[in-house]
Amino acid sequence: EGLDIGEVDLIVCYDVSSSAIRQTQRFGRTGRKSAGRVVMLVTRGVEEDVYDRSIQNAGVMRRALAHASAVQFAVARTAMLPAGLPVRCEQRELHAPGDE
């Protein structure tokens, strides 16, 4: 996770996460420039159960996103910054190295 290598066309996962978001992040590393593949190495038992849960969780997420009106965002009831800290927003353009 966290790598962005455009030439990757194969991901081999040797551990399973029940989080659909985490699985999507892992799988998203392949197929960026051309068709890619993901291979999951899953053992029978507990790891297989975790994989099955991740598939169910992904289905729940897809259905929720398909009905976006059903998605509710939490309203912040308290400030995210410590009290007394001045709030200042800045808009900046970020450039990748070599883009300048």
Side-chain angles (χ1 to χ4, degrees):
E1 289 179 43
L3 299 175
D4 189 4
I5 304 169
E7 303 301 320
V8 171
D9 64 355
L10 173 65
I11 300 293
V12 178
C13 295
Y14 58 87
D15 65 337
V16 179
S17 172
S18 62
S19 166
I21 293 171
R22 181 159 244 164
Q23 294 291 43
T24 301
Q25 289 171 334
R26 290 178 179 178
F27 299 168
R29 299 293 158 205
T30 186
R32 293 191 176 202
K33 289 191 176 186
S34 61
R37 290 182 343 142
V38 176
V39 175
M40 300 278 306
L41 304 177
V42 180
T43 58
R44 288 192 173 112
V46 173
E47 197 169 46
E48 187 176 33
D49 294 341
V50 171
Y51 175 74
D52 291 341
R53 267 197 315 276
S54 75
I55 297 300
Q56 291 171 352
N57 291 342
V60 168
M61 183 183 296
R62 270 194 300 281
R63 286 189 295 279
L65 292 174
H67 305 290
S69 61
V71 176
Q72 296 180 2
F73 296 97
V75 177
R77 303 226 185 279
T78 59
M80 294 177 66
L81 300 174
L85 187 68
V87 177
R88 184 179 76 232
C89 295
E90 295 180 12
Q91 181 176 345
R92 295 183 181 187
E93 270 191 57
L94 300 177
H95 298 280
D99 282 354
E100 298 175 18

